[in-house]
Amino acid sequence: NAGVTQTPKFQVLKTGQSMTLQCAQDMNHEYMSWYRQDPGMGLRLIHYSVGAGITDQGEVPNGYNVSRSTTEDFPLRLLSAAPSQTSVYFCASSSLSGRGGTGELFFGEGSRLTVL
Amino acid sequence: DAKTTQPNSMESNEEEPVHLPCNHSTISGTDYIHWYRQLPSQGPEYVIHGLTSNVNNRMASLAIAEDRKSSTLILHRATLRDAAVYYCILRDTLNAGNNRKLIWGLGTSLAVNP
């Protein structure tokens, strides 16, 4: 099982550029989410989805867009990158209860983004 | 919002048991208590979870207070590879809308001395 796959692992952007962080899971999980992790701030939820076609905002959604057209994929788009978006980004997925799932979150290895 | 409170850091000696506490006084009836750990330069990994009863798995044990307002992650014999940041979170997987409130906090940084 590949689990949760994130690409790219590293990216350097200039202010104002746009990019998409890719996340794919092969566990047929309903729930997918994006976090950012900054020093001294812990993990903060950006956006999440509970199924294809359903997305919702987390704690820090501004500057980011998501879509969920398939169960497997949940890309995170930075529309106009800013230095404040320099961070490590993690994608995570899980099953949801009611379908026999434990809700255990599976994380990708992370994508380190630097915005100059 | 359902929040958890953990000590910033703890220290242990190798091969000794470690008890990592977590307070969650605002826990609701549908919240599961989840524990994760994050090794340096890696994503968090699942350790254990529970609802009301104590739980054991190959990695650790989870002791949950009778009123569910606190829990303790128990590593029975700490190894150097257990040095990580440990997070206690509350996860409501029954009510999808409550996922917005998933708050991680800073966790407990565990140091293991050889």
Side-chain angles (χ1 to χ4, degrees):
Chain A
N1 258 351
V4 178
T5 303
Q6 286 184 237
T7 56
K9 287 186 168 51
F10 301 94
Q11 183 71 49
V12 178
L13 291 178
K14 294 181 180 178
T15 297
Q17 286 185 316
S18 63
M19 77 157 298
T20 299
L21 298 175
Q22 302 289 346
C23 176
Q25 53 90 10
D26 60 0
M27 296 170 282
N28 201 31
H29 284 164
E30 304 93 344
Y31 178 86
M32 296 187 74
S33 57
W34 277 102
Y35 289 88
R36 61 177 289 174
Q37 186 171 37
D38 304 296
M41 297 292 290
L43 285 160
R44 291 185 292 170
L45 182 64
I46 304 171
H47 285 284
Y48 68 96
S49 167
V50 296
I54 306 169
T55 63
D56 202 353
Q57 296 179 348
E59 184 184 355
V60 288
N62 292 341
Y64 307 95
N65 272 2
V66 291
S67 58
R68 184 95 179 268
S69 56
T70 66
T71 299
E72 294 78 20
D73 300 299
F74 191 47
L76 178 72
R77 297 182 185 84
L78 282 70
L79 306 174
S80 178
S84 61
Q85 293 178 304
T86 293
S87 187
V88 180
Y89 292 83
F90 289 101
C91 179
S93 73
S94 81
S95 58
L96 293 173
S97 66
R99 297 179 187 233
T102 65
E104 169 190 349
L105 284 163
F106 292 80
F107 283 81
E109 294 182 349
S111 299
R112 185 174 296 275
L113 175 67
T114 301
V115 183
L116 303 175
Chain B
D1 292 352
K3 284 185 64 175
T4 61
T5 304
Q6 300 176 253
N8 289 337
S9 62
M10 292 185 65
E11 198 169 330
S12 174
N13 294 321
E14 203 173 6
E15 298 192 2
E16 289 184 356
V18 181
H19 290 232
L20 298 164
C22 181
N23 288 322
H24 29 80
S25 58
T26 59
I27 191 170
S28 70
T30 51
D31 283 332
Y32 282 78
I33 302 160
H34 279 232
W35 283 82
Y36 293 80
R37 72 179 186 181
Q38 186 173 21
L39 301 171
S41 301
Q42 295 188 22
E45 65 172 345
Y46 168 83
V47 177
I48 200 167
H49 81 284
L51 185 62
T52 56
S53 304
N54 294 345
V55 184
N56 299 298
N57 66 20
R58 63 175 180 82
M59 290 182 72
S61 295
L62 176 60
I64 300 173
E66 196 169 336
D67 63 5
R68 302 214 316 134
K69 293 185 177 181
S70 65
S71 61
T72 302
L73 178 71
I74 303 165
L75 307 179
H76 295 287
R77 292 183 64 196
T79 69
L80 296 178
R81 289 181 296 178
D82 291 324
V85 177
Y86 287 79
Y87 296 96
C88 164
I89 65 167
L90 302 180
R91 185 100 211 275
D92 181 352
T93 56
L94 183 63
N95 301 303
N98 286 339
N99 282 281
R100 183 181 305 150
K101 304 176 185 176
L102 197 57
I103 298 174
W104 283 71
L106 294 176
T108 296
S109 179
L110 175 66
V112 181
N113 302 315

